[in-house]
PDB file of all heavy atoms in Angstrom:
ATOM      1  N   LEU A 899      18.464  11.415  -9.911  1.00  0.00           N
ATOM      2  CA  LEU A 899      19.736  10.715 -10.130  1.00  0.00           C
ATOM      3  C   LEU A 899      20.852  11.244  -9.234  1.00  0.00           C
ATOM      4  O   LEU A 899      21.799  10.529  -8.927  1.00  0.00           O
ATOM      5  CB  LEU A 899      20.156  10.818 -11.604  1.00  0.00           C
ATOM      6  CG  LEU A 899      19.309  10.023 -12.584  1.00  0.00           C
ATOM      7  CD1 LEU A 899      19.660  10.409 -14.009  1.00  0.00           C
ATOM      8  CD2 LEU A 899      19.482   8.528 -12.366  1.00  0.00           C
ATOM      9  N   ALA A 910      14.740   6.277 -10.293  1.00  0.00           N
ATOM     10  CA  ALA A 910      15.016   7.057 -11.512  1.00  0.00           C
ATOM     11  C   ALA A 910      15.672   6.178 -12.567  1.00  0.00           C
ATOM     12  O   ALA A 910      15.317   6.239 -13.755  1.00  0.00           O
ATOM     13  CB  ALA A 910      15.906   8.249 -11.185  1.00  0.00           C
ATOM     14  N   LEU A 911      16.610   5.330 -12.156  1.00  0.00           N
ATOM     15  CA  LEU A 911      17.287   4.438 -13.102  1.00  0.00           C
ATOM     16  C   LEU A 911      16.335   3.392 -13.677  1.00  0.00           C
ATOM     17  O   LEU A 911      16.521   2.931 -14.798  1.00  0.00           O
ATOM     18  CB  LEU A 911      18.475   3.759 -12.425  1.00  0.00           C
ATOM     19  CG  LEU A 911      19.658   4.668 -12.131  1.00  0.00           C
ATOM     20  CD1 LEU A 911      20.644   3.988 -11.183  1.00  0.00           C
ATOM     21  CD2 LEU A 911      20.342   5.103 -13.416  1.00  0.00           C
ATOM     22  N   GLN A 912      15.308   3.024 -12.941  1.00  0.00           N
ATOM     23  CA  GLN A 912      14.316   2.081 -13.443  1.00  0.00           C
ATOM     24  C   GLN A 912      13.397   2.731 -14.475  1.00  0.00           C
ATOM     25  O   GLN A 912      12.876   2.055 -15.358  1.00  0.00           O
ATOM     26  CB  GLN A 912      13.483   1.520 -12.291  1.00  0.00           C
ATOM     27  CG  GLN A 912      14.255   0.616 -11.366  1.00  0.00           C
ATOM     28  CD  GLN A 912      13.467   0.275 -10.119  1.00  0.00           C
ATOM     29  OE1 GLN A 912      12.252   0.322 -10.104  1.00  0.00           O
ATOM     30  NE2 GLN A 912      14.178  -0.072  -9.063  1.00  0.00           N
ATOM     31  N   ILE A 913      13.200   4.020 -14.361  1.00  0.00           N
ATOM     32  CA  ILE A 913      12.331   4.744 -15.298  1.00  0.00           C
ATOM     33  C   ILE A 913      13.050   5.013 -16.620  1.00  0.00           C
ATOM     34  O   ILE A 913      12.441   4.963 -17.691  1.00  0.00           O
ATOM     35  CB  ILE A 913      11.848   6.072 -14.669  1.00  0.00           C
ATOM     36  CG1 ILE A 913      10.932   5.786 -13.481  1.00  0.00           C
ATOM     37  CG2 ILE A 913      11.138   6.946 -15.699  1.00  0.00           C
ATOM     38  CD1 ILE A 913      10.584   7.014 -12.661  1.00  0.00           C
ATOM     39  N   LEU A 914      14.335   5.302 -16.570  1.00  0.00           N
ATOM     40  CA  LEU A 914      15.079   5.683 -17.777  1.00  0.00           C
ATOM     41  C   LEU A 914      14.935   4.696 -18.939  1.00  0.00           C
ATOM     42  O   LEU A 914      14.717   5.134 -20.076  1.00  0.00           O
ATOM     43  CB  LEU A 914      16.558   5.898 -17.441  1.00  0.00           C
ATOM     44  CG  LEU A 914      16.864   7.137 -16.604  1.00  0.00           C
ATOM     45  CD1 LEU A 914      18.347   7.197 -16.280  1.00  0.00           C
ATOM     46  CD2 LEU A 914      16.413   8.393 -17.314  1.00  0.00           C
ATOM     47  N   PRO A 915      15.036   3.375 -18.719  1.00  0.00           N
ATOM     48  CA  PRO A 915      14.879   2.465 -19.859  1.00  0.00           C
ATOM     49  C   PRO A 915      13.525   2.580 -20.552  1.00  0.00           C
ATOM     50  O   PRO A 915      13.414   2.356 -21.755  1.00  0.00           O
ATOM     51  CB  PRO A 915      15.053   1.074 -19.232  1.00  0.00           C
ATOM     52  CG  PRO A 915      15.911   1.315 -18.043  1.00  0.00           C
ATOM     53  CD  PRO A 915      15.462   2.654 -17.523  1.00  0.00           C
ATOM     54  N   GLY A 918      13.874   5.370 -22.988  1.00  0.00           N
ATOM     55  CA  GLY A 918      14.761   5.049 -24.105  1.00  0.00           C
ATOM     56  C   GLY A 918      15.597   6.233 -24.544  1.00  0.00           C
ATOM     57  O   GLY A 918      16.085   7.017 -23.736  1.00  0.00           O
ATOM     58  N   VAL A 928      24.078   9.495 -15.352  1.00  0.00           N
ATOM     59  CA  VAL A 928      24.007   8.077 -14.999  1.00  0.00           C
ATOM     60  C   VAL A 928      25.405   7.487 -14.831  1.00  0.00           C
ATOM     61  O   VAL A 928      25.624   6.643 -13.964  1.00  0.00           O
ATOM     62  CB  VAL A 928      23.203   7.290 -16.061  1.00  0.00           C
ATOM     63  CG1 VAL A 928      23.211   5.807 -15.756  1.00  0.00           C
ATOM     64  CG2 VAL A 928      21.776   7.808 -16.151  1.00  0.00           C
ATOM     65  N   GLN A 938      24.603   0.300  -9.331  1.00  0.00           N
ATOM     66  CA  GLN A 938      25.410   0.046 -10.523  1.00  0.00           C
ATOM     67  C   GLN A 938      24.710  -0.834 -11.558  1.00  0.00           C
ATOM     68  O   GLN A 938      24.848  -0.618 -12.763  1.00  0.00           O
ATOM     69  CB  GLN A 938      26.758  -0.540 -10.146  1.00  0.00           C
ATOM     70  CG  GLN A 938      26.697  -1.912  -9.517  1.00  0.00           C
ATOM     71  CD  GLN A 938      28.067  -2.452  -9.190  1.00  0.00           C
ATOM     72  OE1 GLN A 938      29.044  -2.120  -9.848  1.00  0.00           O
ATOM     73  NE2 GLN A 938      28.143  -3.278  -8.162  1.00  0.00           N
ATOM     74  N   PHE A 939      23.942  -1.829 -11.126  1.00  0.00           N
ATOM     75  CA  PHE A 939      23.306  -2.726 -12.088  1.00  0.00           C
ATOM     76  C   PHE A 939      22.168  -2.035 -12.826  1.00  0.00           C
ATOM     77  O   PHE A 939      21.998  -2.211 -14.031  1.00  0.00           O
ATOM     78  CB  PHE A 939      22.839  -4.008 -11.399  1.00  0.00           C
ATOM     79  CG  PHE A 939      23.961  -4.709 -10.681  1.00  0.00           C
ATOM     80  CD1 PHE A 939      23.935  -4.862  -9.316  1.00  0.00           C
ATOM     81  CD2 PHE A 939      25.069  -5.169 -11.376  1.00  0.00           C
ATOM     82  CE1 PHE A 939      24.981  -5.491  -8.645  1.00  0.00           C
ATOM     83  CE2 PHE A 939      26.121  -5.792 -10.723  1.00  0.00           C
ATOM     84  CZ  PHE A 939      26.070  -5.948  -9.353  1.00  0.00           C
ATOM     85  N   TYR A 940      21.398  -1.213 -12.109  1.00  0.00           N
ATOM     86  CA  TYR A 940      20.370  -0.405 -12.764  1.00  0.00           C
ATOM     87  C   TYR A 940      21.021   0.584 -13.729  1.00  0.00           C
ATOM     88  O   TYR A 940      20.517   0.842 -14.818  1.00  0.00           O
ATOM     89  CB  TYR A 940      19.548   0.385 -11.738  1.00  0.00           C
ATOM     90  CG  TYR A 940      18.635  -0.445 -10.880  1.00  0.00           C
ATOM     91  CD1 TYR A 940      18.768  -0.436  -9.495  1.00  0.00           C
ATOM     92  CD2 TYR A 940      17.619  -1.223 -11.433  1.00  0.00           C
ATOM     93  CE1 TYR A 940      17.921  -1.180  -8.681  1.00  0.00           C
ATOM     94  CE2 TYR A 940      16.766  -1.962 -10.630  1.00  0.00           C
ATOM     95  CZ  TYR A 940      16.925  -1.937  -9.263  1.00  0.00           C
ATOM     96  OH  TYR A 940      16.083  -2.666  -8.459  1.00  0.00           O
ATOM     97  N   ALA A 941      22.154   1.150 -13.313  1.00  0.00           N
ATOM     98  CA  ALA A 941      22.846   2.127 -14.155  1.00  0.00           C
ATOM     99  C   ALA A 941      23.336   1.485 -15.450  1.00  0.00           C
ATOM    100  O   ALA A 941      23.209   2.072 -16.523  1.00  0.00           O
ATOM    101  CB  ALA A 941      24.013   2.755 -13.387  1.00  0.00           C
ATOM    102  N   MET A 942      23.892   0.273 -15.357  1.00  0.00           N
ATOM    103  CA  MET A 942      24.366  -0.402 -16.569  1.00  0.00           C
ATOM    104  C   MET A 942      23.226  -0.631 -17.542  1.00  0.00           C
ATOM    105  O   MET A 942      23.351  -0.361 -18.738  1.00  0.00           O
ATOM    106  CB  MET A 942      25.041  -1.730 -16.210  1.00  0.00           C
ATOM    107  CG  MET A 942      26.423  -1.557 -15.608  1.00  0.00           C
ATOM    108  SD  MET A 942      27.262  -3.137 -15.424  1.00  0.00           S
ATOM    109  CE  MET A 942      27.432  -3.216 -13.662  1.00  0.00           C
ATOM    110  N   ARG A 943      22.115  -1.123 -17.043  1.00  0.00           N
ATOM    111  CA  ARG A 943      20.952  -1.375 -17.902  1.00  0.00           C
ATOM    112  C   ARG A 943      20.465  -0.074 -18.541  1.00  0.00           C
ATOM    113  O   ARG A 943      20.199  -0.016 -19.740  1.00  0.00           O
ATOM    114  CB  ARG A 943      19.834  -2.020 -17.078  1.00  0.00           C
ATOM    115  CG  ARG A 943      18.538  -2.198 -17.794  1.00  0.00           C
ATOM    116  CD  ARG A 943      18.638  -3.264 -18.845  1.00  0.00           C
ATOM    117  NE  ARG A 943      17.380  -3.398 -19.560  1.00  0.00           N
ATOM    118  CZ  ARG A 943      17.075  -4.421 -20.300  1.00  0.00           C
ATOM    119  NH1 ARG A 943      17.920  -5.411 -20.433  1.00  0.00           N
ATOM    120  NH2 ARG A 943      15.934  -4.471 -20.915  1.00  0.00           N
ATOM    121  N   ALA A 944      20.366   0.984 -17.736  1.00  0.00           N
ATOM    122  CA  ALA A 944      19.894   2.267 -18.245  1.00  0.00           C
ATOM    123  C   ALA A 944      20.817   2.804 -19.339  1.00  0.00           C
ATOM    124  O   ALA A 944      20.354   3.280 -20.376  1.00  0.00           O
ATOM    125  CB  ALA A 944      19.771   3.282 -17.110  1.00  0.00           C
ATOM    126  N   LEU A 945      22.114   2.709 -19.126  1.00  0.00           N
ATOM    127  CA  LEU A 945      23.064   3.218 -20.131  1.00  0.00           C
ATOM    128  C   LEU A 945      22.921   2.465 -21.454  1.00  0.00           C
ATOM    129  O   LEU A 945      22.994   3.057 -22.523  1.00  0.00           O
ATOM    130  CB  LEU A 945      24.490   3.114 -19.597  1.00  0.00           C
ATOM    131  CG  LEU A 945      24.816   4.084 -18.457  1.00  0.00           C
ATOM    132  CD1 LEU A 945      26.110   3.687 -17.766  1.00  0.00           C
ATOM    133  CD2 LEU A 945      24.877   5.517 -18.972  1.00  0.00           C
ATOM    134  N   GLY A 946      22.698   1.162 -21.373  1.00  0.00           N
ATOM    135  CA  GLY A 946      22.471   0.394 -22.595  1.00  0.00           C
ATOM    136  C   GLY A 946      21.183   0.774 -23.284  1.00  0.00           C
ATOM    137  O   GLY A 946      21.136   0.974 -24.496  1.00  0.00           O
ATOM    138  N   GLU A 947      20.118   0.898 -22.523  1.00  0.00           N
ATOM    139  CA  GLU A 947      18.812   1.257 -23.091  1.00  0.00           C
ATOM    140  C   GLU A 947      18.816   2.666 -23.694  1.00  0.00           C
ATOM    141  O   GLU A 947      18.141   2.910 -24.685  1.00  0.00           O
ATOM    142  CB  GLU A 947      17.724   1.166 -22.020  1.00  0.00           C
ATOM    143  CG  GLU A 947      17.399  -0.225 -21.558  1.00  0.00           C
ATOM    144  CD  GLU A 947      16.514  -0.999 -22.521  1.00  0.00           C
ATOM    145  OE1 GLU A 947      16.062  -0.447 -23.535  1.00  0.00           O
ATOM    146  OE2 GLU A 947      16.281  -2.191 -22.248  1.00  0.00           O
ATOM    147  N   LEU A 948      19.565   3.559 -23.079  1.00  0.00           N
ATOM    148  CA  LEU A 948      19.616   4.930 -23.590  1.00  0.00           C
ATOM    149  C   LEU A 948      20.464   5.031 -24.858  1.00  0.00           C
ATOM    150  O   LEU A 948      20.367   6.002 -25.582  1.00  0.00           O
ATOM    151  CB  LEU A 948      20.195   5.881 -22.537  1.00  0.00           C
ATOM    152  CG  LEU A 948      19.426   6.030 -21.235  1.00  0.00           C
ATOM    153  CD1 LEU A 948      20.133   6.994 -20.308  1.00  0.00           C
ATOM    154  CD2 LEU A 948      18.009   6.465 -21.488  1.00  0.00           C
ATOM    155  N   GLY A 949      21.305   4.047 -25.080  1.00  0.00           N
ATOM    156  CA  GLY A 949      22.204   4.114 -26.230  1.00  0.00           C
ATOM    157  C   GLY A 949      23.404   5.002 -25.960  1.00  0.00           C
ATOM    158  O   GLY A 949      23.944   5.639 -26.859  1.00  0.00           O
ATOM    159  N   CYS A 950      23.841   5.020 -24.726  1.00  0.00           N
ATOM    160  CA  CYS A 950      24.944   5.881 -24.298  1.00  0.00           C
ATOM    161  C   CYS A 950      26.283   5.235 -24.660  1.00  0.00           C
ATOM    162  O   CYS A 950      26.871   4.513 -23.856  1.00  0.00           O
ATOM    163  CB  CYS A 950      24.835   6.116 -22.798  1.00  0.00           C
ATOM    164  SG  CYS A 950      26.098   7.205 -22.157  1.00  0.00           S
ATOM    165  N   ALA A 975      24.262  -4.649 -21.125  1.00  0.00           N
ATOM    166  CA  ALA A 975      24.266  -3.239 -21.536  1.00  0.00           C
ATOM    167  C   ALA A 975      25.021  -3.067 -22.852  1.00  0.00           C
ATOM    168  O   ALA A 975      24.588  -2.326 -23.742  1.00  0.00           O
ATOM    169  CB  ALA A 975      24.887  -2.376 -20.444  1.00  0.00           C
ATOM    170  N   LEU A 978      22.858  -4.095 -25.652  1.00  0.00           N
ATOM    171  CA  LEU A 978      21.871  -3.076 -26.004  1.00  0.00           C
ATOM    172  C   LEU A 978      22.502  -1.958 -26.827  1.00  0.00           C
ATOM    173  O   LEU A 978      21.861  -1.383 -27.705  1.00  0.00           O
ATOM    174  CB  LEU A 978      21.232  -2.513 -24.739  1.00  0.00           C
ATOM    175  CG  LEU A 978      20.335  -3.492 -23.987  1.00  0.00           C
ATOM    176  CD1 LEU A 978      20.004  -2.959 -22.602  1.00  0.00           C
ATOM    177  CD2 LEU A 978      19.066  -3.766 -24.773  1.00  0.00           C
TER     178      LEU A 978
END
Side-chain angles (χ1 to χ4, degrees):
L899 290 170
L911 289 167
Q912 291 170 24
I913 294 171
L914 290 177
V928 176
Q938 65 179 331
F939 304 116
Y940 290 121
M942 285 188 243
R943 174 70 182 196
L945 290 166
E947 291 282 356
L948 298 180
C950 182
L978 291 167

